[in-house]
Amino acid sequence: MAADKPWALISEVGENGYFEELADIMREHFQIMPLSDFLQSPALHGPKIQVLFIWKFYPEPKPSLLAELPSLKVVCSAGTGTDHLDIPYINNLGLKIANTPHVVSDATADFAMGLLLASARKMFEGQQIARGPEMVIIPQSLMGVEVSGSTLGIIGMGEIGHKIAQRGKGFDMKILYHNRSRRSAEDEAAVGATYCENLDDLLKLSDFVMLSLRFHTDCTGLIGHRELSLMKPTAILVNISRGLLVDQDALIHALQSGIIQAAALDVTHPEPLPRGHPLLSLPNALITPHMGINTTTTAKKIMHRMVNNAVAAVKGLPIPDEVKPQ
């Protein structure tokens, strides 16, 4: 019976939260409470909440919210990234943390290649011209960059990076990569990848530089003025990781001055960018709203994984995807 199911706090069901099919997956095991309902009476609702589901970074697990949840057992976050979580603080409260690794890799790698292709072939500009009221001929300004046979430099060769390399190989691209540790010879051979121990070498040689590494605070500003200046003037930067990896002021300068040709970004800092931000007005900056995992199939996989983790936590069982302090 529904009354016997434990309670979970969520953002909302609807356009800015979970679509109904995802909510139904949660409802199989939990009674769900939208944040707006919870905030009407935190003292009444707080003691019964055992699970906090985080989707698209909401609800934010701030200390003020966690303090209102004395019965909370687990914080379940969608996706693989955990940089939005204060893991030591949450663990010190006696709470478990879980994420959803492995289920987002294909969708993210697909989207990464989509950004690369769209930017290289100026698809966004082309659509605007095709829809324009004065469209008569195809202007020479829509001349793009050849993808097939070009060099793709991947910074961060984890699961997603390796899947991007697989897709790049399908376009007959030469694959370079830089990683904290070198992949096995078998992994390299599978995608025809060459390891660059020195990041500068990758930047100098690549036609496309793809950021797909897991974010750590020591990677903040990894791509700045110096790094951009090492890239080819015809190069395109693609970022599907986190906005903080790129010095955005340096990127704006590089795009405006021709240091690099273009950038395709699914992530920025902050998200969304303030209206009027210089990046939003640059024709050679393709920006999407952190939607790399946005397919119905992947969303359902994520939700099932979140629910499995939450059920295990409530029952006191080992959590399949528990995130532990490093």
Side-chain angles (χ1 to χ4, degrees):
M1 295 178 63
D4 298 326
K5 296 177 182 178
W7 282 88
L9 181 63
I10 69 169
S11 53
E12 65 174 89
V13 178
E15 183 63 24
N16 296 319
Y18 303 85
F19 57 85
E20 281 292 342
E21 289 180 81
L22 298 186
D24 287 342
I25 294 171
M26 289 186 285
R27 291 186 184 111
E28 291 178 18
H29 298 277
F30 297 96
Q31 300 180 74
I32 57 176
M33 178 174 293
L35 182 63
S36 58
D37 292 348
F38 171 82
L39 292 176
Q40 291 180 16
S41 185
L44 174 65
H45 301 307
K48 57 189 178 186
I49 300 295
Q50 296 187 53
V51 176
L52 174 61
F53 283 125
I54 300 176
W55 186 266
K56 299 290 184 180
F57 309 118
Y58 292 101
E60 296 181 69
K62 296 180 179 179
S64 57
L65 176 60
L66 298 178
E68 301 277 6
L69 307 174
S71 301
L72 189 65
K73 294 184 177 181
V74 64
V75 174
C76 294
S77 183
T80 58
T82 57
D83 51 287
H84 59 294
L85 303 173
D86 188 338
I87 295 174
Y89 177 80
I90 295 172
N91 284 156
N92 285 339
L93 294 177
L95 305 176
K96 302 290 187 179
I97 301 171
N99 63 349
T100 61
H102 311 304
V103 296
V104 304
S105 301
D106 282 317
T108 305
D110 288 348
F111 196 79
M113 289 304 295
L115 284 176
L116 186 154
L117 290 165
S119 185
R121 299 302 302 273
K122 301 189 177 182
M123 292 183 188
F124 178 69
E125 299 99 308
Q127 178 186 231
Q128 290 180 309
I129 290 171
R131 292 174 180 268
E134 299 177 358
M135 171 64 180
V136 177
I137 61 173
I138 302 173
Q140 289 299 312
S141 62
L142 286 181
M143 197 66 65
V145 176
E146 193 82 12
V147 173
S148 297
S150 63
T151 298
L152 171 60
I154 302 172
I155 303 175
M157 188 65 109
E159 183 173 321
I160 293 173
H162 199 259
K163 287 183 177 291
I164 292 170
Q166 289 176 335
R167 287 150 177 78
K169 183 181 179 183
F171 282 89
D172 295 323
M173 301 179 85
K174 179 181 179 181
I175 309 298
L176 307 177
Y177 78 98
H178 175 77
N179 207 43
R180 287 177 181 243
S181 58
R182 185 169 182 172
R183 299 283 301 237
S184 68
E186 292 76 14
D187 288 343
E188 291 181 352
V191 294
T194 300
Y195 179 61
C196 290
E197 184 174 0
N198 190 319
L199 175 59
D200 289 1
D201 294 336
L202 180 146
L203 295 172
K204 293 173 183 177
L205 295 170
S206 299
D207 298 302
F208 300 89
V209 174
M210 176 77 68
L211 300 178
S212 65
L213 63 161
R214 181 169 292 186
F215 179 76
H216 298 280
T217 54
D218 58 355
C219 295
T220 299
L222 176 69
I223 303 298
H225 286 285
R226 190 188 76 85
E227 290 74 25
L228 290 163
S229 70
L230 294 175
M231 293 170 60
K232 298 177 181 180
T234 54
I236 294 175
L237 176 70
V238 184
N239 187 6
I240 58 160
S241 181
R242 288 292 187 268
L244 282 171
L245 288 171
V246 179
D247 179 337
Q248 290 181 167
D249 290 337
L251 179 60
I252 291 166
H253 173 71
L255 292 172
Q256 289 176 329
S257 59
I259 292 174
I260 64 171
Q261 180 170 188
L265 315 170
D266 189 41
V267 289
T268 59
H269 183 75
E271 293 177 356
L273 289 172
R275 302 302 84 179
H277 191 283
L279 272 175
L280 298 177
S281 64
L282 294 178
N284 53 347
L286 172 61
I287 302 174
T288 53
H290 206 147
M291 52 188 285
I293 65 172
N294 280 26
T295 71
T296 301
T297 298
T298 294
K300 289 179 180 178
K301 290 179 181 178
I302 291 172
M303 195 71 258
H304 281 296
R305 197 100 176 205
M306 292 173 72
V307 167
N308 289 341
N309 288 325
V311 168
V314 168
K315 291 182 177 180
L317 301 173
I319 300 173
D321 301 309
E322 182 176 357
V323 176
K324 297 183 178 181
Q326 296 183 349

